[in-house]
Structure formats: structure tokens, C-alpha cells
Amino acid sequence: EVQLVESGGGSVQPGGSLTLSCAASGFAFNNYAMVWVRQAPGKGLEWISTILRSGTTAYADSVKGRVTISKDTAKNTLSLQMNSLKPEDTAVYYCAKGIGNYWSSAMDFWGKGILVTVSS
């Protein structure tokens, strides 16, 4: 059974940092693209970042330069380091598994999400 469990969310002040983690199990973690997606209150889903099997990464313009996606294949863990957080980064963040190992991969499994609140 595929499981994705996010952790590390919480409240932080503007300009602060937070690292999200996603513990993956039930599949060959390093064979697939892994993705972070977020949903701000009252808004739709927004793609944040993808990491491929090779470790190549891509970021949305809204977060580029402020976030870093990474993975630990020994621990089957996906991470998202977020710096210089802004109030508009407030959202539920989801970890998702791609159906393949390519940039446009659709996602077939999602975590339950974790809330990040950026507020003074």
C-alpha cells in the first residue's frame, strides 16, 4: 500500500523558515517523480516543485529561490526546505507521487497534507 505522510508544518513568522518532510512507503521511491503541491485557503491547487529520479528539480516561479526540494533515497523521504516565507505561502502542502519519472507526470497518490501558516 502506497503511503505518503507529511510532517513539519506549523506556524511561522514572515521571513522565517520551515522544512516539510514526506515519508514514503509501499513503492520504489526513487523510481518516480515526486512532487510538492499546495492549496491556499479558498484557492485551487498550485504546483510547487518536482524532483526526478536523477535528482533534477523544478520550481514554480512563486517559490523559486526560496524553496529547495530534496530526497533521501535511503530513508524514502522527500523534503521541502522553505525560506523567506511570506503570508501568501500559507497553505496546506501536499506530497504526491508521480505516475512516472518525467516532468509532466500526473500524480496518482497524495498525502493527507499539512498546514503551513505564515503570519505575524
Side-chain angles (χ1 to χ4, degrees):
E1 178 189 6
V2 173
Q3 289 193 329
L4 298 169
V5 181
E6 300 95 342
S7 62
S11 296
V12 63
Q13 292 187 339
S17 298
L18 210 58
T19 299
L20 304 182
S21 296
C22 173
S25 62
F27 66 101
F29 178 70
N30 201 39
N31 283 359
Y32 299 91
M34 294 299 297
V35 185
W36 286 100
V37 177
R38 70 184 181 187
Q39 185 169 29
K43 296 189 176 181
L45 292 171
E46 177 188 15
W47 169 77
I48 296 300
S49 183
T50 297
I51 187 166
L52 298 183
R53 178 176 181 174
S54 63
T56 308
T57 59
Y59 300 94
D61 288 343
S62 60
V63 301
K64 194 173 294 181
R66 299 189 297 118
V67 307
T68 302
I69 190 172
S70 63
K71 60 180 177 176
D72 184 334
T73 55
K75 296 181 179 180
N76 286 1
T77 300
L78 180 72
S79 296
L80 188 72
Q81 170 71 42
M82 302 187 292
N83 301 316
S84 302
L85 284 163
K86 306 174 182 180
E88 51 264 43
D89 294 317
T90 295
V92 176
Y93 285 72
Y94 298 92
C95 162
K97 170 190 168 293
I99 61 173
N101 181 43
Y102 46 92
W103 293 119
S104 60
S105 175
M107 292 154 279
D108 55 358
F109 290 94
W110 296 66
K112 293 183 178 180
I114 193 159
L115 178 63
V116 171
T117 302
V118 184
S119 173
S120 55

